[in-house]
Amino acid sequence: MPEVDIPPNLDEALRLRVEREHVDEETAARELLYQGVEDYVLDLYGEGEISLSKAAELLDTSVHDILRKSRKRGIKPTATEEQVRRSRETAEELL
Amino acid sequence: MVNLVFDSDGLIKIAKSGLHREVLQVVEASITEEVERETVVEGKRNMYEDAYRLEELIEDGTLSVRAVERSANGEDILRDRRSLGEGERSALHLYFETSADAIVSDDRAFLSVLEENDVPFIRPVDLLVKLSKDIGEKESLKGLKRMGDYVREKELRDAVKTLEGRGDA
């Protein structure tokens, strides 16, 4: 993990977290980083760039948790129009 | 009987419908150990109800869990792909290993890979609609509505319309 210089505004946010959550700076930084990564990963999942299992692996959580968090944010990364068409076609052929 | 492999997405969404037992009794359904770990083992750790429901199906043999070897076809498709996790990857290998008829999933990233490689797939919504002749239309409609939080509104409306006999949108 690279070392990063934190700009003053983010440093202020970090200090706020330290005060409000009663944690040390390292914990606060880790928590904020995780929050940012979680947002990023869920965005990728929502856009269909990564799968459900991949999102769970990246965030070290369960697939159930990913589905719950996505639902809470209104993220429903379901199929494209073409994928819907193909799915229906296959269902028609097989079932 | 149609032989279907489920990934975690497909399996959990069918569980959300509340018709998991009915659906999985009408098809030959299997999952990998990785999908079992994701949906049941890890789900139970956080007390997700769906995990316990799925565990019951495994225990009574309705849902088979298979250990999977890496298939050559699967390896070709998955090489250098970082968008998929172990659940999807293992499901693809199981599809090839068992010569399954299709994979059940609604995961867009996974469906994109399947689509590119002409691997047949069925989305849980479409599975439920098609199996309504076995499960019953009323029950299937209820099941679709229970899946509502996990399916786009338009798709849910289309599926409901299909079931109610107003035709595909």
Side-chain angles (χ1 to χ4, degrees):
Chain A
M1 182 70 74
E3 280 189 15
V4 177
D5 286 329
I6 299 179
N9 57 313
L10 293 185
D11 194 44
E12 176 66 18
L14 185 62
R15 290 188 192 292
L16 269 173
R17 189 164 185 107
V18 167
E19 282 166 24
R20 288 170 57 87
E21 307 298 326
H22 307 291
V23 294
D24 58 51
E25 265 189 21
E26 196 179 308
T27 302
R30 200 178 300 122
E31 287 172 352
L32 285 173
L33 177 62
Y34 185 86
Q35 210 166 306
V37 169
E38 185 178 272
D39 286 346
Y40 180 62
V41 168
L42 288 176
D43 278 346
L44 288 178
Y45 170 61
E47 289 159 17
E49 294 293 326
I50 60 172
S51 70
L52 175 64
S53 297
K54 188 69 177 182
E57 285 166 19
L58 288 173
L59 294 178
D60 192 23
T61 188
S62 71
V63 292
H64 295 274
D65 249 11
I66 296 294
L67 286 172
R68 181 181 58 83
K69 288 178 182 190
S70 300
R71 198 185 95 214
K72 221 170 151 185
R73 295 166 194 230
I75 296 171
K76 294 182 185 179
T78 56
T80 64
E81 298 265 346
E82 175 59 16
Q83 288 165 355
V84 170
R85 188 194 67 74
R86 288 177 77 148
S87 165
R88 287 177 181 171
E89 201 173 84
T90 301
E92 200 61 43
E93 282 167 14
L94 290 177
L95 297 167
Chain B
M1 229 188 209
V2 175
N3 178 4
L4 300 176
V5 169
F6 287 70
D7 74 349
S8 295
D9 177 277
L11 193 60
I12 291 173
K13 284 178 184 170
I14 287 294
K16 295 288 180 202
S17 76
L19 296 173
H20 40 289
R21 182 169 293 283
E22 290 83 344
V23 167
L24 298 182
Q25 279 176 341
V26 177
V27 301
E28 200 174 307
S30 55
I31 60 172
T32 63
E33 289 177 340
E34 287 79 359
V35 170
E36 182 191 19
R37 179 182 51 75
E38 288 178 357
T39 57
V40 176
V41 177
E42 289 174 6
K44 280 172 63 179
R45 203 170 285 152
N46 292 106
M47 315 257 294
Y48 280 99
E49 212 175 305
D50 294 326
Y52 294 94
R53 291 184 192 143
L54 294 171
E55 186 181 47
E56 276 175 20
L57 295 178
I58 293 169
E59 283 174 352
D60 70 20
T62 305
L63 178 61
S64 304
V65 180
R66 315 273 289 254
V68 69
E69 303 273 332
R70 297 292 189 236
S71 64
N73 286 337
E75 285 295 337
D76 280 342
I77 290 171
L78 294 170
R79 191 167 295 122
D80 300 328
R81 285 203 190 259
R82 299 176 63 181
S83 62
L84 304 184
E86 278 309 309
E88 294 92 19
R89 299 172 86 90
S90 67
L92 184 63
H93 284 302
L94 184 61
Y95 164 81
F96 283 116
E97 213 178 84
T98 58
S99 303
D101 292 302
I103 293 177
V104 178
S105 176
D106 198 16
D107 185 284
R108 187 162 169 162
F110 192 27
L111 295 187
S112 296
V113 172
L114 301 180
E115 190 183 5
E116 272 174 51
N117 293 278
D118 288 319
V119 174
F121 54 84
I122 302 175
R123 300 164 58 239
V125 169
D126 299 324
L127 184 63
L128 206 54
V129 168
K130 207 66 188 113
L131 293 183
S132 64
K133 57 179 166 42
D134 300 287
I135 295 169
E137 191 186 287
K138 260 189 185 167
E139 283 306 310
S140 298
L141 274 168
K142 287 182 194 170
L144 280 174
K145 286 169 185 172
R146 284 189 287 258
M147 282 169 78
D149 280 346
Y150 302 92
V151 177
R152 287 204 183 129
E153 216 175 292
K154 181 186 179 303
E155 291 176 29
L156 190 62
R157 273 199 318 267
D158 288 351
V160 169
K161 271 185 192 169
T162 303
L163 272 188
E164 290 175 343
R166 280 181 244 165
D168 272 8

